[in-house]
Amino acid sequence: MQMASKAHYQGNHAFRGTEKGYTVYPKALNIVWGNDKRFWKLPIYENDGAELIQVNWLEVTGCIDNINIAKKTAYDIGFTMSLMNDAFGWNDSPVYLMAKWGDNTQWRKVNLTSEINGKKLIPKNITITKGKGDNVDKIYFGLYEVWNKKWKGGLKIHSVNLTEI
């Protein structure tokens, strides 16, 4: 996945194994407009959060790859996030969680304003089952709000958690 602009942040694609899956911290994620300090405050350390200052195009993506997932068949994927006190623009801006594994792609719509209320939250998880075809050794995931073009801000992404089910 090549990024089109130097304003976009290319993550280091690192992840940590957990007892039941994997954790991916924001430093590992690809963040559209992430290298522009007007829009994002990027993490300094590996497990710091990424803070959205303001964007009208939210696109945060990542993947787990080069792992032995051949025998596993399904994962729950959840973004651990919070809305900060000064969050804005989320009332009419639901976000979409995406997961792709092989030829299987799943989407889930999440309304952050009704679900977060200032606390860390794992939104309704999206579940992905192993598909067929190419790239069955990679699980892709993303967080998107690219359709309504309204400015939004005050979101903090803490981690992405993939849990084997």
Side-chain angles (χ1 to χ4, degrees), residues 25-122:
Y25 291 106
K27 204 164 180 66
L29 301 173
N30 299 324
I31 301 174
V32 170
W33 302 113
N35 275 337
D36 191 319
K37 291 182 180 354
R38 295 174 297 170
F39 304 123
W40 284 90
K41 181 180 175 190
L42 292 177
I44 295 171
Y45 300 106
E46 193 64 30
N47 56 355
D48 286 349
E51 294 180 24
L52 170 61
I53 297 167
Q54 63 175 3
V55 293
N56 63 6
W57 182 283
L58 175 68
E59 183 175 337
V60 178
T61 60
C63 71
I64 297 287
D65 63 358
N66 297 322
I67 56 174
N68 182 11
I69 54 177
K71 294 180 182 175
K72 296 165 178 67
T73 59
Y75 282 89
D76 269 340
I77 302 173
F79 281 77
T80 303
M81 302 179 283
S82 57
L83 285 179
M84 295 153 60
N85 290 336
D86 60 354
F88 62 93
W90 298 104
N91 285 341
D92 299 319
S93 301
V95 298
Y96 289 81
L97 304 178
M98 180 278 299
K100 179 174 176 19
W101 193 0
D103 64 357
N104 186 10
T105 304
Q106 299 292 320
W107 289 88
R108 172 155 292 175
K109 180 176 167 181
V110 177
N111 183 342
L112 296 182
T113 55
S114 68
E115 307 224 9
I116 290 188
N117 299 323
K119 299 182 182 126
K120 275 193 190 180
L121 169 86
I122 299 174

Side-chain angles (χ1 to χ4, degrees), residues 1 7 17 21 106 133 141 149 153 157 165:
M1 283 190 286
Q106 299 292 320
F141 46 86
K149 306 292 189 236
I157 300 172
I165 53 173

